[in-house]
Every structure is written in C-alpha cells, then in structure tokens.
Amino acid sequence: MEPVSPSTSSTARIAAVSGLVFAVLFVAALVFVHRAPTLGDPDTTYAAFYADGGDQLFVAVGLYLVPFAGIAFLWHMTAMRDVLNTLTPTPSAMAHGLNLLAGIIFVTLLFAGTAAVGATAFGVYFGHAPVEDPATARALTAVGYGLVFVFAVRGAGMFALTTTTLLRNAGVLPKIPAVVAYLLAVFLLLAVTNNPIAVLVFPAWVVLVSVFLLRHARRVAAPSPGSLPDPTPDTTSPSLRSDPS
C-alpha cells in the first residue's frame, strides 16, 4: 500500500459527510414520495388523493429532494473513488469501472423512477391540471416502481458490491463490517419486492461505509509515533559554543 498524503484525510471526510447527507435526503424524499398511492391501492384511493391537494404538496417536496440526494451521492462516489485511487493506485480495473458505471446508473434511474411516481401529483398541484384518471396515475406509478425497484436497486447493489471490494482491499473496511456490507449488497442485487423499506438498505450501506471512512480519516490525520519529534537533545553533534580556556 502506498503512503497516504494529508489530503487523503480531508477527502475521506468529504466522502463520509456527503454519504451521510445522501442517506438523510434519500430517506426524507422516500417518505414524502411514498405518500402517493401505491400499486396495491384501489382506484378510489387514487381518485381521493388527487382530488384533495393536501398530500400532493408532500409528494412534490419529495421530488425536489431527490435531485439533492443524487447530487450528494455523486459527491460521495467521486470523493470515495479519489480516496481509493490514493490508497490503491492500481485497483482492480473491472471493479473500479463497474463502480463508476453502477453509481451513474443508480442516480439516473432513481431520478427517472421518482419523477414517474410523482408526475401526476406534481402536475395537479403545480400545474393546476385536471385530476387524472386513476388508470393513468397507476400506469405512471407502475413505470416508476419498475425503474426504481427493478433497475435502480440493481445498480445500487452492484455499486455496493464493487465498492465494498475496493474498500476492503484498501484496508478501510475491517473483515466483519465488510461481511455486513457484502450481505446488504447481495440483498439489493437479489431482492424481488416493491416494498419501499427494501430501498432503505442502500442508505444503510452508505451510512456503514461512511462511518469507516470517517474512522479512516481520523487514523490518517493522527500523527504516527515515528513522526513525532524526539524530545531527547542530540548530544553527539558538535557545539557552536567554545569552551572557556
């Protein structure tokens, strides 16, 4: 492993803080957007929801939070890749490339999926559009659920899997937390559900990784015993003061 520079500590801290910000914004956005009717709700629930403008505002707020969550994730991903490039200048080319592509896929499909789920509420509340037919709203919800739960979650799982491997190889993740991170990644890759609780697995993984990035930043910032100055004066060097004759 190459020696780390002082900038690695600040970069790891940026990666950790942006990851925690992403987790908070993502969970808040999910809570707001989930106020919209789900696929299992009857047509009467759809009609009542879009006839009453109260909860539509919360869905619209959730839509506005999603881009900020995505931006925070991009900061998290970019800073973490910078840390990995410093710790392992020659990482696995396959894992490093898949890490970048999977992160971009996750953010892109997250934006598209949440936009589809909240499109009707957004149009009714801000555009003063007439209340949509429940069938149209349900179709948009189905498209959004498919983009998020089928595709975006798989991208998140691949990102979590490759990043865990890279962080483990770089010595940032100890063995037991790495096993937990791998289990969360496998769940994201294999889970077949449209329950929003399943999506919370990814921010949980991000929080886990961010905690150890902060730990790594503190460890790098702390001076090593070998770097401390020796308090014992050097008595072997010649003195500039001449002895009195």
Side-chain angles (χ1 to χ4, degrees):
M1 183 180 299
E2 297 289 331
V4 295
S5 62
S7 62
T8 305
S9 174
S10 61
T11 306
R13 192 174 293 108
I14 291 173
V17 172
S18 57
L20 296 175
V21 171
F22 159 74
V24 172
L25 291 175
F26 184 81
V27 172
L30 183 65
V31 170
F32 284 131
V33 174
H34 187 57
R35 297 178 75 98
T38 63
L39 288 177
D41 292 329
D43 289 349
T44 54
T45 301
Y46 276 86
F49 177 83
Y50 293 112
D52 178 18
D55 283 352
Q56 296 164 27
L57 175 61
F58 291 103
V59 176
V61 170
L63 286 180
Y64 275 103
L65 288 177
V66 169
F68 291 104
I71 292 170
F73 178 78
L74 292 176
W75 273 87
H76 171 70
M77 178 180 69
T78 304
M80 182 162 49
R81 287 173 61 84
D82 192 18
V83 172
L84 291 170
N85 287 336
T86 302
L87 296 177
T88 54
T90 56
S92 168
M94 181 175 294
H96 204 56
L98 285 174
N99 168 268
L100 177 62
L101 293 175
I104 294 174
I105 288 173
F106 165 72
V107 173
T108 303
L109 294 178
L110 175 68
F111 285 0
T114 52
V117 171
T120 303
F122 187 88
V124 171
Y125 188 84
F126 287 104
H128 305 289
V131 178
E132 298 287 345
D133 179 72
T136 302
R138 187 185 299 277
L140 286 171
T141 301
V143 171
Y145 273 43
L147 288 173
V148 172
F149 291 102
V150 177
F151 299 103
V153 169
R154 301 297 179 268
M158 180 55 65
F159 177 84
L161 185 66
T162 54
T163 306
T164 300
T165 300
L166 293 169
L167 290 174
R168 175 61 180 161
N169 292 341
V172 176
L173 276 180
K175 182 177 181 180
I176 294 179
V179 171
V180 175
Y182 275 126
L183 291 176
L184 295 177
V186 170
F187 175 85
L188 290 169
L189 282 172
L190 302 180
V192 181
T193 179
N194 61 6
N195 191 323
I197 296 179
V199 183
L200 297 179
V201 171
F202 187 55
W205 177 89
V206 173
V207 169
L208 173 66
V209 169
S210 297
V211 168
F212 282 92
L213 283 170
L214 284 175
R215 179 188 176 193
H216 173 76
R218 288 196 299 268
R219 187 170 66 244
V220 171
S224 60
S227 64
L228 295 176
D230 188 0
T232 305
D234 186 5
T235 58
T236 60
S237 59
S239 175
L240 298 179
R241 188 179 62 182
S242 59
D243 295 333
S245 55

